[in-house]
Amino acid sequence: MAMQKFSPELPATQINLTDDNRSDSSNQSTHKDKASSKIVLATINARFIHASLGLRYLYANLQELQSACEIKEFVIQTRAMDIVEQILESKPGIVGFGVYIWNIVETTNVVSLLKVIAPEIKIILGGPEVSYETEQQAIVDSADFVLTGAADLSFYQLCKDILNAAEPDKKIIKSKPVELKEIELPYQYYSDADLKHRLLYVEASRGCPFKCEFCLSSLDKVSNPFELDLFLEQMEILYQRGARNFKFIDRTFNLNIQTTMQIMQFFLDKMSDDLFLHFEVVPDHLPKKLKEQLTQFPEGCIQFEVGIQTFKPEVQANISRKQNNPKSKENLIWLRENTNAHIHADLIFGLPGETFETFRESFNELYHCRPHEIQLGILKRLKGTPIIRHTETFDLRFSPLPPFTILSNDCVDFSTMQRFTRFARYWDMIGNSGHFKHSLADMISENPFDDFMAIADWLFNQTKQTHKINQKRLYELVSQSVEALFPDRHQLVVSKMELDFPSTKLKSRFSSLNLYAGQQSESTKTNKLAQRQQRHTH
């Protein structure tokens, strides 16, 4: 791999074109003018804080075409028409889109508009969402080309062919496997603003040796590491530039313990109050020497995302998941008691063979391991994943709309699936938010799943809402639900909630809350239509 030089002036979310590649609007009508040589790499992120690593890989490997390329990143709240307008401001001849499960709808709208407004622009799609079941997707009909698989190098070749009037005669092009030593790393293309305000995605390896059938990584045969010295050299440059937020996207960061420890030691040697590291780890592989190292990291520095998914051996067998459950529990408890790491553990509802009752058992077992957060996911049908082999046997029925969540199966009907979806949402608002740190344990006592399900059912029956509940109202509703469901716990929970309340940073006083169901708050709201009319009459 060629040595990469650090250039602190490089922009980030929008990498500007060179002056030599600019053209004025008077030449736009000519099909083969300078504008047609320009390339825009675009994607729609779920949130601004997410910076696209994939686009920066493509940019880093464009060779001589890089000077004619810029990156434009958007967020899903942006209107499709506004995205199209910003893309067209660059007068591109080629636009490449990164397509993912979270942005497929929005990207389809953008591509459709682009093809109406500027049909001469060549549109190239790539990313996991269009790499499988490609021909059946509406977005593919509007595009000129689709690159499936890792496109680090194939995107350059396709752009070069288009610009040389040697376009391929097929729309869907399968990227050849990439040797990691052949590609340029993209980290210099994070801007100073990215380093200051956004999560920096980094990867020390690609692939995963495990075969969990709900995950796209199950299609990998092995995990391939990047050359460690070069990777750490790039991390050093980022750190010296001021980077302090590193999110590792390696599917199994602690697979190779020797490499894991070298990377951890690299950051341990640079420890500062503002350093934050995120890793995905398997819970049953924490040897003693790694544990000893982890105890050295201070509070607020490390977050571990720990995939549990289920503790039921029969369900694990159905999805080809290998996991030592006793060891996983032991390690989770050890991490909680002996390190300052923030533990974010995952469960998935709707897996083939998992019943409501067996999931309850997994939740309770995980809860008693005391992770800081339990992320409750709903099974999704990611295109290309082997989970579909169970469709008939377990009557798996997935939504046809993104994000393609499961609607029912032979063990869980639709209404129960909806009920759990609400449970998961309320758990995120209450159990994971940190705003009920003192009161949660007393709220749900020794039967966490059943007790919280009762609270979730009560909340939904009262509000018919799972979103747009402000913090003040949430505190009131939680207190009222405990009063109604578990009156013997209510006074203790209220006393603990008073300790929690400052975490909300609300200006109102805790004593002003309506904590009892019998209390009635006077409505001071005026009909919005009446307000509008009054502005015209006074």
Side-chain angles (χ1 to χ4, degrees):
M1 182 188 296
M3 287 295 292
Q4 300 186 23
K5 297 180 180 179
F6 165 53
S7 177
E9 289 77 28
L10 282 167
T13 54
Q14 182 168 321
I15 299 178
N16 296 323
L17 302 170
T18 61
D19 292 337
D20 291 341
N21 288 302
R22 299 188 187 278
S23 64
D24 58 48
S25 57
S26 63
N27 291 330
Q28 289 185 58
S29 60
T30 305
H31 182 67
K32 290 294 182 181
D33 64 3
K34 290 183 180 179
S36 66
S37 69
K38 295 178 182 177
I39 303 167
V40 167
L41 282 166
T43 197
I44 304 174
N45 297 320
R47 297 169 59 195
F48 168 76
I49 197 172
H50 303 151
S52 174
L53 181 61
L55 293 191
R56 286 166 175 78
Y57 264 114
L58 299 181
Y59 184 87
N61 288 278
L62 272 177
Q63 299 185 43
E64 78 278 3
L65 302 182
Q66 191 182 81
S67 62
C69 179
E70 61 184 306
I71 290 177
K72 288 179 177 281
E73 296 182 78
F74 306 93
V75 292
I76 57 176
Q77 292 81 8
T78 309
R79 296 190 318 152
M81 196 70 76
D82 295 333
I83 293 175
V84 169
E85 183 178 17
Q86 291 183 56
I87 289 174
L88 292 178
E89 284 176 354
S90 298
K91 304 180 180 66
I94 299 172
V95 180
F97 287 96
V99 188
Y100 302 87
I101 194 170
W102 63 80
N103 70 16
I104 179 66
V105 172
E106 292 79 6
T107 308
T108 300
N109 294 339
V110 169
V111 171
S112 299
L113 285 170
L114 267 177
K115 271 305 180 185
V116 172
I117 299 167
E120 72 281 2
I121 293 175
K122 299 297 182 183
I123 293 178
I124 304 173
L125 307 178
E129 188 58 24
V130 292
S131 288
Y132 304 93
E133 303 174 29
T134 307
E135 294 180 354
Q136 299 98 302
Q137 300 188 53
I139 192 172
V140 174
D141 292 337
S142 301
D144 295 284
F145 300 100
V146 182
L147 290 171
T148 67
D152 307 78
L153 303 178
S154 59
F155 180 75
Y156 161 72
Q157 187 59 53
L158 179 54
C159 289
K160 190 174 179 180
D161 290 343
I162 292 171
L163 295 173
N164 288 333
E167 295 180 10
D169 56 6
K170 56 183 179 180
K171 174 182 284 192
I172 301 171
I173 303 166
K174 184 177 181 180
S175 301
K176 295 179 180 178
V178 172
E179 292 288 338
L180 298 187
K181 63 183 179 181
E182 296 177 358
I183 62 176
E184 297 290 336
L185 298 183
Y187 302 113
Q188 62 176 307
Y189 303 114
Y190 284 126
S191 73
D192 290 342
D194 291 333
L195 271 56
K196 188 174 182 181
H197 301 294
R198 308 175 84 185
L199 278 175
L200 302 187
Y201 292 94
V202 300
E203 56 177 357
S205 64
R206 282 188 186 178
C208 181
F210 300 108
K211 302 299 175 187
C212 307
E213 295 180 10
F214 55 82
C215 179
L216 267 176
S217 295
S218 64
L219 303 178
D220 301 326
K221 292 182 173 60
V222 295
S223 175
N224 293 310
F226 285 88
E227 201 279 306
L228 185 57
D229 288 341
L230 179 59
F231 174 77
L232 292 179
E233 176 185 303
Q234 293 296 306
M235 296 304 100
E236 176 71 29
I237 293 172
L238 284 177
Y239 186 88
Q240 293 302 326
R241 291 177 59 198
R244 295 296 183 270
N245 254 322
F246 297 83
K247 183 166 184 177
F248 280 72
I249 62 172
D250 304 55
R251 301 305 298 175
T252 314
F253 180 70
N254 58 329
L255 185 65
N256 184 319
I257 293 300
Q258 189 61 38
T259 299
T260 301
M261 293 188 64
Q262 284 184 256
I263 294 173
M264 298 296 274
Q265 189 62 48
F266 170 86
F267 287 107
L268 191 58
D269 291 341
K270 302 179 181 306
M271 190 48 56
S272 59
D273 292 340
D274 54 352
L275 183 64
F276 179 77
L277 310 169
H278 175 105
F279 305 102
E280 293 186 33
V281 298
V282 290
D284 53 6
H285 188 47
L286 291 180
K288 182 179 178 181
K289 57 184 179 180
L290 178 57
K291 286 182 174 181
E292 291 173 352
Q293 188 182 50
L294 293 177
T295 61
Q296 301 176 54
F297 284 86
E299 186 174 0
C301 177
I302 297 179
Q303 175 166 292
F304 285 144
E305 185 171 342
V306 184
I308 297 297
Q309 320 315 353
T310 179
F311 278 127
K312 296 297 121 183
E314 301 84 357
V315 180
Q316 291 169 340
N318 287 340
I319 59 173
S320 306
R321 182 174 180 81
K322 295 181 179 180
Q323 181 171 283
N324 183 326
N325 290 331
K327 193 67 176 177
S328 295
K329 295 175 194 176
E330 177 188 320
N331 283 339
L332 281 171
I333 294 170
W334 184 91
L335 286 169
R336 191 70 165 87
E337 294 179 348
N338 296 278
T339 75
N340 292 306
H342 185 275
I343 312 300
H344 175 117
D346 300 336
L347 291 175
I348 296 178
F349 189 68
L351 293 171
E354 186 89 84
T355 67
F356 189 80
E357 291 72 25
T358 61
F359 187 87
R360 173 200 286 127
E361 293 171 11
S362 286
F363 180 91
N364 288 341
E365 290 177 57
L366 182 56
Y367 177 82
H368 290 302
C369 293
R370 299 171 51 234
H372 297 87
E373 297 182 47
I374 299 177
Q375 181 66 42
L376 299 173
I378 314 292
L379 179 64
K380 298 175 178 63
R381 194 183 87 79
L382 302 180
K383 291 179 177 64
T385 55
I387 197 74
I388 58 171
R389 75 183 181 93
H390 297 296
T391 300
E392 292 186 11
T393 305
F394 293 94
D395 193 21
L396 307 181
R397 303 189 185 192
F398 293 93
S399 170
L401 307 174
F404 314 113
T405 52
I406 193 164
L407 301 175
S408 67
N409 60 31
D410 66 331
C411 297
V412 183
D413 61 20
F414 174 69
S415 62
T416 303
M417 201 71 74
Q418 288 293 95
R419 188 183 177 208
F420 177 79
T421 301
R422 293 190 288 270
F423 177 103
R425 171 60 185 161
Y426 290 131
W427 179 261
D428 206 42
M429 296 164 62
I430 299 168
N432 288 341
S433 66
H435 292 313
F436 296 85
K437 180 175 66 173
H438 296 93
S439 55
L440 180 66
D442 295 300
M443 204 183 296
I444 58 180
S445 192
E446 294 302 312
N447 300 297
F449 185 87
D450 288 342
D451 288 359
F452 195 83
M453 182 60 79
I455 291 172
D457 289 342
W458 190 96
L459 292 173
F460 188 72
N461 288 335
Q462 292 294 313
T463 66
K464 302 302 180 187
Q465 289 179 278
T466 56
H467 293 76
K468 298 183 179 179
I469 301 175
N470 65 50
Q471 282 295 326
K472 179 176 180 292
R473 181 65 177 142
L474 183 62
Y475 264 74
E476 293 175 338
L477 288 167
V478 168
S479 174
Q480 292 170 20
S481 71
V482 174
E483 179 199 20
L485 297 166
F486 316 111
D488 56 319
R489 305 177 197 169
H490 188 238
Q491 287 305 316
L492 177 59
V493 169
V494 167
S495 67
K496 295 291 184 69
M497 287 176 64
E498 188 169 8
L499 298 176
D500 288 323
F501 192 67
S503 72
T504 66
K505 294 182 168 52
L506 292 173
K507 293 182 180 179
S508 52
R509 292 175 301 164
F510 185 77
S511 59
S512 71
L513 302 184
N514 294 329
L515 300 173
Y516 298 86
Q519 288 181 258
Q520 298 295 324
S521 60
E522 295 184 10
S523 175
T524 58
K525 295 182 180 178
T526 305
N527 181 279
K528 289 185 178 180
L529 179 59
Q531 290 178 355
R532 183 185 179 102
Q533 292 170 338
Q534 288 169 11
R535 288 197 293 268
H536 290 277
T537 57
H538 291 286

